[in-house]
Structure formats: structure tokens, C-alpha cells
Amino acid sequence: MTHTKVIQKNNRAFSKALYTIRKDAVAWLLIAPALIGFIVFNWQPFISSGFLAFFKTKGFEILEFVGFENFKDVLSDSSLAKAMWNSCKYTFWSLVIGLPVPIFIAIILNEIVHFKGFFRFSVYFPAIIPGMVTAIMWKILLEPGTDGFLNVILSYLNLPNCQWLQDSRITILIITIVTTWSGFGPTTILYLADLQSVDLALYEAAAIDGAGFFKKLKHITLPHLSSLVRVTAIMQILGVFQSFERPLAMTGGGPNEASTTVMMLTYNYMFGEGAIDKANALSVMVCLILIAGSIVYFKMTKSKE
């Protein structure tokens, strides 16, 4: 190979590399704001929290290294067991109620012929309302006294009044229903979009074979949605286990810690007791639990496939 050919080859390689850098630079420029925000508001606090969990602190000032002492203090707190159990109950009810509801609504919307836009907007509308506003609104509707909106309706129906959020037996269930009402819209739209990609020839072939609505649902619709259901399920578990704003606004963790979540306990450590070290330790524990749960879930679903 002559010297001229070597130079030409190097120039082509350099031009190709320069083009790739320019193309990647544009992509990095577009995602830079989201990436910076993710690092600053997600990873940086996460890393700092994990670091401070092993130190005794006064505010954010590090006093001394204490190893696992903060974790021991958190584990010895009787409120932790209640908060963990409550978070598990939130997660359970969210899967029982919150997981099938958007699937069911998406299937109905997919079958509607007229006024599709109106019904899709109606389904999505609750998600537009800020979470704290939703919680306060439902708290007002669920007032336990005789002047409470739902209790007034019960009175007109000659039914006894209910304590609603003051009844520790149903508090978590009610908060879960409110959370589902507020958040099922976006998930419904995702399922609906996925249903639009189902090959209609499959339904036609099933109809020719005499399959009714439920057989089509069982053998075509639900298998098609299964991968998206798995993803939304794990996202729902991760999100609901960290429930905070609605229990805080609707019950404040009551009655008698019946609706206190792990994240509310973290909040109480930090802003109620000023024990930032314990709050950091509990945050790390929650993070490890969620990571372990996610790994187990993906292993289980992978083995089934």
C-alpha cells in the first residue's frame, strides 16, 4: 500500500469518526437536560444518603463514623414493623385493584366505536389533577361526620354512616382506591395503544372458529398484553411501596399508625425527630428491598417464559 493510499484511508476513517462524534453530540445535547436532572435530583441524593447512613450526623454535618449503628436503631424501632406491613398491604391491594382496572378499561375503550376521544379524555382526566389536590378532595368527600358528602348520601339511602378513613380496617383499602382512580388513566392509554397493534386477522380467524368475546380475550388479547402487564406490575410495585403523599394528606398515617408507610416513617425521622442519619439508613434499606424484589420478580417471569 502506497503512502498516498494510507493517507486516503486515514482521512476516510477520520471523516467517519468525525461524523459519528457530531451525530452523537447532537443526541447527547438533546438528552443532556434530562440526564443532568436525573444525576442531580436522583443519583446524587441516593449516593449521599447511602454514604451518610454509616455516620452519626447533626443535621447534615457528619460527627463520627458509626458503621451499622443507624441500621440497628431503625430495626429496633417498633414503628418499622407496622410501616413495612402497611406498605406490603398497599402493594397487595394495588395489584388486586390497580393492576386489572386499567386493563379492563382499555379493553372496553378498544371496543367503543363512537365518541372515542371523549371517553379517552375522561379516563385520562383524573391524572391531570395534582396528587395532593386529589388526596385533599377525597379527604373532604370522606369526612366521617354526618356532614361528610358520602355519609349524606348514605343517610338519604337510610344506611348507617361510615367512619371511612377513621376506620383502621379499611383505611389502606380506601387510599388504594383513591390512588387507583387518580393514576389508572396513563396506564390505560398505554394498554389501549398496545391493543391497537393486535392483528385483526387473529380476531377474524377466531370468530370463524366460533370463539366468543371471552375466548378471544383469553387466547389473543391478554397474551398480547402480557409483556406490558409485567412491566407495569413491577413499576407499580416499586411506586406503591414508596407511597407517601396521599397517606400523608388523607390520614397523616393514622388512625394509630394504621396507614403509615415506610416513606412516611422516613419523613418522620427526618422532619419530625431531626434524625437524618436514621432516615438515611431506612432509605438505604428500602432501596435494597426494592432492588431484591425487582430481581426476584424478573427471575420468576424469565423462568416462566
PDB file of all heavy atoms in Angstrom, residues 207-240:
ATOM      1  N   ALA A 207     -63.141 -15.700  15.267  1.00  0.00           N
ATOM      2  CA  ALA A 207     -64.592 -15.614  15.098  1.00  0.00           C
ATOM      3  C   ALA A 207     -65.094 -16.692  14.137  1.00  0.00           C
ATOM      4  O   ALA A 207     -66.160 -17.284  14.354  1.00  0.00           O
ATOM      5  CB  ALA A 207     -64.966 -14.223  14.587  1.00  0.00           C
ATOM      6  N   ILE A 208     -64.319 -16.952  13.096  1.00  0.00           N
ATOM      7  CA  ILE A 208     -64.692 -18.010  12.148  1.00  0.00           C
ATOM      8  C   ILE A 208     -64.721 -19.366  12.843  1.00  0.00           C
ATOM      9  O   ILE A 208     -65.577 -20.217  12.554  1.00  0.00           O
ATOM     10  CB  ILE A 208     -63.719 -18.020  10.951  1.00  0.00           C
ATOM     11  CG1 ILE A 208     -63.893 -16.735  10.130  1.00  0.00           C
ATOM     12  CG2 ILE A 208     -63.940 -19.247  10.085  1.00  0.00           C
ATOM     13  CD1 ILE A 208     -62.865 -16.562   9.040  1.00  0.00           C
ATOM     14  N   ASP A 209     -63.784 -19.562  13.781  1.00  0.00           N
ATOM     15  CA  ASP A 209     -63.731 -20.822  14.537  1.00  0.00           C
ATOM     16  C   ASP A 209     -64.786 -20.898  15.635  1.00  0.00           C
ATOM     17  O   ASP A 209     -64.842 -21.876  16.379  1.00  0.00           O
ATOM     18  CB  ASP A 209     -62.341 -21.009  15.148  1.00  0.00           C
ATOM     19  CG  ASP A 209     -61.283 -21.287  14.087  1.00  0.00           C
ATOM     20  OD1 ASP A 209     -61.659 -21.742  12.993  1.00  0.00           O
ATOM     21  OD2 ASP A 209     -60.091 -21.022  14.355  1.00  0.00           O
ATOM     22  N   GLY A 210     -65.594 -19.847  15.769  1.00  0.00           N
ATOM     23  CA  GLY A 210     -66.675 -19.861  16.747  1.00  0.00           C
ATOM     24  C   GLY A 210     -66.300 -19.321  18.111  1.00  0.00           C
ATOM     25  O   GLY A 210     -67.060 -19.502  19.073  1.00  0.00           O
ATOM     26  N   ALA A 211     -65.154 -18.656  18.221  1.00  0.00           N
ATOM     27  CA  ALA A 211     -64.731 -18.113  19.513  1.00  0.00           C
ATOM     28  C   ALA A 211     -65.538 -16.878  19.857  1.00  0.00           C
ATOM     29  O   ALA A 211     -65.756 -16.006  19.007  1.00  0.00           O
ATOM     30  CB  ALA A 211     -63.245 -17.774  19.484  1.00  0.00           C
ATOM     31  N   GLY A 212     -65.997 -16.799  21.087  1.00  0.00           N
ATOM     32  CA  GLY A 212     -66.718 -15.635  21.565  1.00  0.00           C
ATOM     33  C   GLY A 212     -65.781 -14.595  22.143  1.00  0.00           C
ATOM     34  O   GLY A 212     -64.551 -14.713  22.051  1.00  0.00           O
ATOM     35  N   PHE A 213     -66.361 -13.564  22.786  1.00  0.00           N
ATOM     36  CA  PHE A 213     -65.564 -12.458  23.329  1.00  0.00           C
ATOM     37  C   PHE A 213     -64.565 -12.940  24.364  1.00  0.00           C
ATOM     38  O   PHE A 213     -63.388 -12.555  24.338  1.00  0.00           O
ATOM     39  CB  PHE A 213     -66.503 -11.414  23.949  1.00  0.00           C
ATOM     40  CG  PHE A 213     -65.777 -10.328  24.681  1.00  0.00           C
ATOM     41  CD1 PHE A 213     -65.174  -9.291  23.995  1.00  0.00           C
ATOM     42  CD2 PHE A 213     -65.692 -10.345  26.070  1.00  0.00           C
ATOM     43  CE1 PHE A 213     -64.499  -8.284  24.677  1.00  0.00           C
ATOM     44  CE2 PHE A 213     -65.019  -9.344  26.761  1.00  0.00           C
ATOM     45  CZ  PHE A 213     -64.426  -8.313  26.054  1.00  0.00           C
ATOM     46  N   PHE A 214     -64.996 -13.806  25.277  1.00  0.00           N
ATOM     47  CA  PHE A 214     -64.122 -14.226  26.374  1.00  0.00           C
ATOM     48  C   PHE A 214     -63.005 -15.148  25.894  1.00  0.00           C
ATOM     49  O   PHE A 214     -61.894 -15.108  26.428  1.00  0.00           O
ATOM     50  CB  PHE A 214     -64.950 -14.892  27.477  1.00  0.00           C
ATOM     51  CG  PHE A 214     -65.838 -13.946  28.224  1.00  0.00           C
ATOM     52  CD1 PHE A 214     -67.202 -13.896  27.968  1.00  0.00           C
ATOM     53  CD2 PHE A 214     -65.301 -13.061  29.147  1.00  0.00           C
ATOM     54  CE1 PHE A 214     -68.015 -13.003  28.640  1.00  0.00           C
ATOM     55  CE2 PHE A 214     -66.106 -12.162  29.827  1.00  0.00           C
ATOM     56  CZ  PHE A 214     -67.467 -12.130  29.570  1.00  0.00           C
ATOM     57  N   LYS A 215     -63.279 -15.972  24.897  1.00  0.00           N
ATOM     58  CA  LYS A 215     -62.208 -16.820  24.350  1.00  0.00           C
ATOM     59  C   LYS A 215     -61.177 -15.972  23.605  1.00  0.00           C
ATOM     60  O   LYS A 215     -59.980 -16.230  23.687  1.00  0.00           O
ATOM     61  CB  LYS A 215     -62.805 -17.875  23.422  1.00  0.00           C
ATOM     62  CG  LYS A 215     -63.468 -19.022  24.156  1.00  0.00           C
ATOM     63  CD  LYS A 215     -63.795 -20.169  23.213  1.00  0.00           C
ATOM     64  CE  LYS A 215     -64.359 -21.360  24.001  1.00  0.00           C
ATOM     65  NZ  LYS A 215     -64.678 -22.502  23.113  1.00  0.00           N
ATOM     66  N   LYS A 216     -61.652 -14.950  22.890  1.00  0.00           N
ATOM     67  CA  LYS A 216     -60.716 -14.029  22.232  1.00  0.00           C
ATOM     68  C   LYS A 216     -59.875 -13.306  23.273  1.00  0.00           C
ATOM     69  O   LYS A 216     -58.672 -13.096  23.085  1.00  0.00           O
ATOM     70  CB  LYS A 216     -61.484 -13.019  21.384  1.00  0.00           C
ATOM     71  CG  LYS A 216     -62.186 -13.589  20.172  1.00  0.00           C
ATOM     72  CD  LYS A 216     -62.964 -12.498  19.456  1.00  0.00           C
ATOM     73  CE  LYS A 216     -63.759 -13.038  18.289  1.00  0.00           C
ATOM     74  NZ  LYS A 216     -64.575 -11.978  17.626  1.00  0.00           N
ATOM     75  N   LEU A 217     -60.542 -12.922  24.363  1.00  0.00           N
ATOM     76  CA  LEU A 217     -59.840 -12.223  25.436  1.00  0.00           C
ATOM     77  C   LEU A 217     -58.752 -13.110  26.043  1.00  0.00           C
ATOM     78  O   LEU A 217     -57.631 -12.658  26.292  1.00  0.00           O
ATOM     79  CB  LEU A 217     -60.851 -11.816  26.507  1.00  0.00           C
ATOM     80  CG  LEU A 217     -60.312 -11.054  27.725  1.00  0.00           C
ATOM     81  CD1 LEU A 217     -59.791  -9.696  27.317  1.00  0.00           C
ATOM     82  CD2 LEU A 217     -61.400 -10.905  28.786  1.00  0.00           C
ATOM     83  N   LYS A 218     -59.088 -14.368  26.279  1.00  0.00           N
ATOM     84  CA  LYS A 218     -58.174 -15.289  26.940  1.00  0.00           C
ATOM     85  C   LYS A 218     -57.004 -15.694  26.044  1.00  0.00           C
ATOM     86  O   LYS A 218     -55.860 -15.774  26.511  1.00  0.00           O
ATOM     87  CB  LYS A 218     -58.938 -16.538  27.390  1.00  0.00           C
ATOM     88  CG  LYS A 218     -58.075 -17.589  28.057  1.00  0.00           C
ATOM     89  CD  LYS A 218     -58.902 -18.806  28.469  1.00  0.00           C
ATOM     90  CE  LYS A 218     -58.024 -19.868  29.115  1.00  0.00           C
ATOM     91  NZ  LYS A 218     -58.823 -21.080  29.483  1.00  0.00           N
ATOM     92  N   HIS A 219     -57.280 -15.942  24.759  1.00  0.00           N
ATOM     93  CA  HIS A 219     -56.258 -16.523  23.883  1.00  0.00           C
ATOM     94  C   HIS A 219     -55.552 -15.510  22.981  1.00  0.00           C
ATOM     95  O   HIS A 219     -54.512 -15.831  22.408  1.00  0.00           O
ATOM     96  CB  HIS A 219     -56.887 -17.620  23.008  1.00  0.00           C
ATOM     97  CG  HIS A 219     -57.428 -18.774  23.795  1.00  0.00           C
ATOM     98  ND1 HIS A 219     -56.609 -19.693  24.418  1.00  0.00           N
ATOM     99  CD2 HIS A 219     -58.709 -19.142  24.075  1.00  0.00           C
ATOM    100  CE1 HIS A 219     -57.352 -20.601  25.034  1.00  0.00           C
ATOM    101  NE2 HIS A 219     -58.634 -20.291  24.849  1.00  0.00           N
ATOM    102  N   ILE A 220     -56.088 -14.287  22.863  1.00  0.00           N
ATOM    103  CA  ILE A 220     -55.451 -13.299  21.981  1.00  0.00           C
ATOM    104  C   ILE A 220     -55.086 -12.025  22.738  1.00  0.00           C
ATOM    105  O   ILE A 220     -53.917 -11.622  22.781  1.00  0.00           O
ATOM    106  CB  ILE A 220     -56.387 -12.948  20.790  1.00  0.00           C
ATOM    107  CG1 ILE A 220     -56.695 -14.193  19.964  1.00  0.00           C
ATOM    108  CG2 ILE A 220     -55.735 -11.879  19.918  1.00  0.00           C
ATOM    109  CD1 ILE A 220     -57.685 -13.948  18.840  1.00  0.00           C
ATOM    110  N   THR A 221     -56.109 -11.405  23.345  1.00  0.00           N
ATOM    111  CA  THR A 221     -55.890 -10.083  23.947  1.00  0.00           C
ATOM    112  C   THR A 221     -54.924 -10.127  25.120  1.00  0.00           C
ATOM    113  O   THR A 221     -53.919  -9.397  25.145  1.00  0.00           O
ATOM    114  CB  THR A 221     -57.231  -9.488  24.406  1.00  0.00           C
ATOM    115  OG1 THR A 221     -58.143  -9.468  23.302  1.00  0.00           O
ATOM    116  CG2 THR A 221     -57.024  -8.076  24.926  1.00  0.00           C
ATOM    117  N   LEU A 222     -55.218 -10.962  26.117  1.00  0.00           N
ATOM    118  CA  LEU A 222     -54.378 -10.988  27.324  1.00  0.00           C
ATOM    119  C   LEU A 222     -52.957 -11.484  27.040  1.00  0.00           C
ATOM    120  O   LEU A 222     -52.000 -10.914  27.576  1.00  0.00           O
ATOM    121  CB  LEU A 222     -55.050 -11.834  28.398  1.00  0.00           C
ATOM    122  CG  LEU A 222     -56.356 -11.243  28.965  1.00  0.00           C
ATOM    123  CD1 LEU A 222     -56.935 -12.155  30.039  1.00  0.00           C
ATOM    124  CD2 LEU A 222     -56.113  -9.848  29.530  1.00  0.00           C
ATOM    125  N   PRO A 223     -52.765 -12.546  26.221  1.00  0.00           N
ATOM    126  CA  PRO A 223     -51.374 -12.921  25.888  1.00  0.00           C
ATOM    127  C   PRO A 223     -50.612 -11.802  25.197  1.00  0.00           C
ATOM    128  O   PRO A 223     -49.404 -11.638  25.411  1.00  0.00           O
ATOM    129  CB  PRO A 223     -51.560 -14.128  24.954  1.00  0.00           C
ATOM    130  CG  PRO A 223     -52.865 -14.726  25.364  1.00  0.00           C
ATOM    131  CD  PRO A 223     -53.722 -13.547  25.721  1.00  0.00           C
ATOM    132  N   HIS A 224     -51.316 -11.023  24.367  1.00  0.00           N
ATOM    133  CA  HIS A 224     -50.649  -9.917  23.686  1.00  0.00           C
ATOM    134  C   HIS A 224     -50.206  -8.841  24.682  1.00  0.00           C
ATOM    135  O   HIS A 224     -49.157  -8.220  24.510  1.00  0.00           O
ATOM    136  CB  HIS A 224     -51.606  -9.301  22.648  1.00  0.00           C
ATOM    137  CG  HIS A 224     -51.012  -8.156  21.899  1.00  0.00           C
ATOM    138  ND1 HIS A 224     -50.174  -8.331  20.813  1.00  0.00           N
ATOM    139  CD2 HIS A 224     -51.109  -6.809  22.085  1.00  0.00           C
ATOM    140  CE1 HIS A 224     -49.787  -7.152  20.357  1.00  0.00           C
ATOM    141  NE2 HIS A 224     -50.344  -6.210  21.107  1.00  0.00           N
ATOM    142  N   LEU A 225     -51.013  -8.625  25.725  1.00  0.00           N
ATOM    143  CA  LEU A 225     -50.704  -7.591  26.718  1.00  0.00           C
ATOM    144  C   LEU A 225     -49.744  -8.068  27.802  1.00  0.00           C
ATOM    145  O   LEU A 225     -49.300  -7.261  28.628  1.00  0.00           O
ATOM    146  CB  LEU A 225     -51.998  -7.121  27.393  1.00  0.00           C
ATOM    147  CG  LEU A 225     -52.997  -6.333  26.545  1.00  0.00           C
ATOM    148  CD1 LEU A 225     -54.269  -6.074  27.348  1.00  0.00           C
ATOM    149  CD2 LEU A 225     -52.403  -5.021  26.062  1.00  0.00           C
ATOM    150  N   SER A 226     -49.439  -9.347  27.841  1.00  0.00           N
ATOM    151  CA  SER A 226     -48.709  -9.930  28.986  1.00  0.00           C
ATOM    152  C   SER A 226     -47.367  -9.258  29.254  1.00  0.00           C
ATOM    153  O   SER A 226     -47.017  -8.996  30.413  1.00  0.00           O
ATOM    154  CB  SER A 226     -48.508 -11.431  28.772  1.00  0.00           C
ATOM    155  OG  SER A 226     -47.762 -11.671  27.588  1.00  0.00           O
ATOM    156  N   SER A 227     -46.604  -8.956  28.204  1.00  0.00           N
ATOM    157  CA  SER A 227     -45.284  -8.340  28.426  1.00  0.00           C
ATOM    158  C   SER A 227     -45.430  -6.945  29.027  1.00  0.00           C
ATOM    159  O   SER A 227     -44.675  -6.568  29.936  1.00  0.00           O
ATOM    160  CB  SER A 227     -44.499  -8.275  27.112  1.00  0.00           C
ATOM    161  OG  SER A 227     -45.215  -7.522  26.142  1.00  0.00           O
ATOM    162  N   LEU A 228     -46.402  -6.180  28.541  1.00  0.00           N
ATOM    163  CA  LEU A 228     -46.621  -4.840  29.094  1.00  0.00           C
ATOM    164  C   LEU A 228     -47.159  -4.917  30.520  1.00  0.00           C
ATOM    165  O   LEU A 228     -46.804  -4.093  31.369  1.00  0.00           O
ATOM    166  CB  LEU A 228     -47.599  -4.072  28.205  1.00  0.00           C
ATOM    167  CG  LEU A 228     -47.917  -2.629  28.614  1.00  0.00           C
ATOM    168  CD1 LEU A 228     -46.642  -1.806  28.689  1.00  0.00           C
ATOM    169  CD2 LEU A 228     -48.907  -1.997  27.643  1.00  0.00           C
ATOM    170  N   VAL A 229     -47.984  -5.924  30.797  1.00  0.00           N
ATOM    171  CA  VAL A 229     -48.519  -6.111  32.148  1.00  0.00           C
ATOM    172  C   VAL A 229     -47.387  -6.376  33.130  1.00  0.00           C
ATOM    173  O   VAL A 229     -47.377  -5.850  34.250  1.00  0.00           O
ATOM    174  CB  VAL A 229     -49.543  -7.260  32.183  1.00  0.00           C
ATOM    175  CG1 VAL A 229     -49.922  -7.612  33.623  1.00  0.00           C
ATOM    176  CG2 VAL A 229     -50.788  -6.879  31.406  1.00  0.00           C
ATOM    177  N   ARG A 230     -46.416  -7.189  32.735  1.00  0.00           N
ATOM    178  CA  ARG A 230     -45.279  -7.486  33.616  1.00  0.00           C
ATOM    179  C   ARG A 230     -44.496  -6.220  33.941  1.00  0.00           C
ATOM    180  O   ARG A 230     -44.095  -6.006  35.092  1.00  0.00           O
ATOM    181  CB  ARG A 230     -44.371  -8.539  32.977  1.00  0.00           C
ATOM    182  CG  ARG A 230     -44.926  -9.948  33.025  1.00  0.00           C
ATOM    183  CD  ARG A 230     -43.837 -10.966  32.728  1.00  0.00           C
ATOM    184  NE  ARG A 230     -43.381 -10.855  31.340  1.00  0.00           N
ATOM    185  CZ  ARG A 230     -43.886 -11.524  30.322  1.00  0.00           C
ATOM    186  NH1 ARG A 230     -44.912 -12.346  30.527  1.00  0.00           N
ATOM    187  NH2 ARG A 230     -43.407 -11.401  29.099  1.00  0.00           N
ATOM    188  N   VAL A 231     -44.269  -5.393  32.929  1.00  0.00           N
ATOM    189  CA  VAL A 231     -43.507  -4.152  33.152  1.00  0.00           C
ATOM    190  C   VAL A 231     -44.280  -3.210  34.077  1.00  0.00           C
ATOM    191  O   VAL A 231     -43.721  -2.662  35.034  1.00  0.00           O
ATOM    192  CB  VAL A 231     -43.206  -3.463  31.808  1.00  0.00           C
ATOM    193  CG1 VAL A 231     -42.548  -2.107  32.049  1.00  0.00           C
ATOM    194  CG2 VAL A 231     -42.297  -4.334  30.959  1.00  0.00           C
ATOM    195  N   THR A 232     -45.567  -3.010  33.792  1.00  0.00           N
ATOM    196  CA  THR A 232     -46.362  -2.106  34.622  1.00  0.00           C
ATOM    197  C   THR A 232     -46.526  -2.641  36.044  1.00  0.00           C
ATOM    198  O   THR A 232     -46.613  -1.863  36.992  1.00  0.00           O
ATOM    199  CB  THR A 232     -47.753  -1.874  33.996  1.00  0.00           C
ATOM    200  OG1 THR A 232     -48.391  -3.130  33.758  1.00  0.00           O
ATOM    201  CG2 THR A 232     -47.636  -1.101  32.698  1.00  0.00           C
ATOM    202  N   ALA A 233     -46.557  -3.969  36.172  1.00  0.00           N
ATOM    203  CA  ALA A 233     -46.690  -4.559  37.512  1.00  0.00           C
ATOM    204  C   ALA A 233     -45.481  -4.235  38.370  1.00  0.00           C
ATOM    205  O   ALA A 233     -45.623  -3.817  39.528  1.00  0.00           O
ATOM    206  CB  ALA A 233     -46.886  -6.074  37.410  1.00  0.00           C
ATOM    207  N   ILE A 234     -44.285  -4.410  37.822  1.00  0.00           N
ATOM    208  CA  ILE A 234     -43.086  -4.142  38.620  1.00  0.00           C
ATOM    209  C   ILE A 234     -42.954  -2.647  38.894  1.00  0.00           C
ATOM    210  O   ILE A 234     -42.565  -2.242  40.000  1.00  0.00           O
ATOM    211  CB  ILE A 234     -41.817  -4.687  37.920  1.00  0.00           C
ATOM    212  CG1 ILE A 234     -40.610  -4.579  38.845  1.00  0.00           C
ATOM    213  CG2 ILE A 234     -41.544  -3.987  36.603  1.00  0.00           C
ATOM    214  CD1 ILE A 234     -40.733  -5.372  40.117  1.00  0.00           C
ATOM    215  N   MET A 235     -43.342  -1.792  37.925  1.00  0.00           N
ATOM    216  CA  MET A 235     -43.307  -0.354  38.153  1.00  0.00           C
ATOM    217  C   MET A 235     -44.313   0.042  39.226  1.00  0.00           C
ATOM    218  O   MET A 235     -44.053   0.918  40.058  1.00  0.00           O
ATOM    219  CB  MET A 235     -43.605   0.392  36.853  1.00  0.00           C
ATOM    220  CG  MET A 235     -42.564   0.206  35.766  1.00  0.00           C
ATOM    221  SD  MET A 235     -40.899   0.733  36.273  1.00  0.00           S
ATOM    222  CE  MET A 235     -41.155   2.488  36.443  1.00  0.00           C
ATOM    223  N   GLN A 236     -45.453  -0.638  39.227  1.00  0.00           N
ATOM    224  CA  GLN A 236     -46.478  -0.342  40.231  1.00  0.00           C
ATOM    225  C   GLN A 236     -46.022  -0.763  41.617  1.00  0.00           C
ATOM    226  O   GLN A 236     -46.241  -0.060  42.605  1.00  0.00           O
ATOM    227  CB  GLN A 236     -47.769  -1.073  39.858  1.00  0.00           C
ATOM    228  CG  GLN A 236     -48.968  -0.645  40.670  1.00  0.00           C
ATOM    229  CD  GLN A 236     -50.268  -1.039  40.000  1.00  0.00           C
ATOM    230  OE1 GLN A 236     -50.409  -0.929  38.793  1.00  0.00           O
ATOM    231  NE2 GLN A 236     -51.220  -1.513  40.780  1.00  0.00           N
ATOM    232  N   ILE A 237     -45.380  -1.919  41.709  1.00  0.00           N
ATOM    233  CA  ILE A 237     -44.867  -2.393  42.996  1.00  0.00           C
ATOM    234  C   ILE A 237     -43.835  -1.406  43.544  1.00  0.00           C
ATOM    235  O   ILE A 237     -43.879  -1.017  44.720  1.00  0.00           O
ATOM    236  CB  ILE A 237     -44.257  -3.793  42.859  1.00  0.00           C
ATOM    237  CG1 ILE A 237     -45.355  -4.825  42.583  1.00  0.00           C
ATOM    238  CG2 ILE A 237     -43.489  -4.185  44.119  1.00  0.00           C
ATOM    239  CD1 ILE A 237     -44.832  -6.190  42.218  1.00  0.00           C
ATOM    240  N   LEU A 238     -42.916  -0.987  42.678  1.00  0.00           N
ATOM    241  CA  LEU A 238     -41.872  -0.048  43.107  1.00  0.00           C
ATOM    242  C   LEU A 238     -42.472   1.284  43.545  1.00  0.00           C
ATOM    243  O   LEU A 238     -42.026   1.891  44.519  1.00  0.00           O
ATOM    244  CB  LEU A 238     -40.876   0.177  41.967  1.00  0.00           C
ATOM    245  CG  LEU A 238     -40.047  -1.034  41.531  1.00  0.00           C
ATOM    246  CD1 LEU A 238     -39.177  -0.671  40.337  1.00  0.00           C
ATOM    247  CD2 LEU A 238     -39.185  -1.548  42.668  1.00  0.00           C
ATOM    248  N   GLY A 239     -43.496   1.735  42.814  1.00  0.00           N
ATOM    249  CA  GLY A 239     -44.090   3.021  43.137  1.00  0.00           C
ATOM    250  C   GLY A 239     -44.955   2.982  44.385  1.00  0.00           C
ATOM    251  O   GLY A 239     -44.848   3.851  45.260  1.00  0.00           O
ATOM    252  N   VAL A 240     -45.816   1.959  44.491  1.00  0.00           N
ATOM    253  CA  VAL A 240     -46.763   1.897  45.609  1.00  0.00           C
ATOM    254  C   VAL A 240     -46.047   1.609  46.923  1.00  0.00           C
ATOM    255  O   VAL A 240     -46.444   2.106  47.979  1.00  0.00           O
ATOM    256  CB  VAL A 240     -47.845   0.825  45.331  1.00  0.00           C
ATOM    257  CG1 VAL A 240     -48.735   0.623  46.541  1.00  0.00           C
ATOM    258  CG2 VAL A 240     -48.673   1.228  44.124  1.00  0.00           C
TER     259      VAL A 240
END
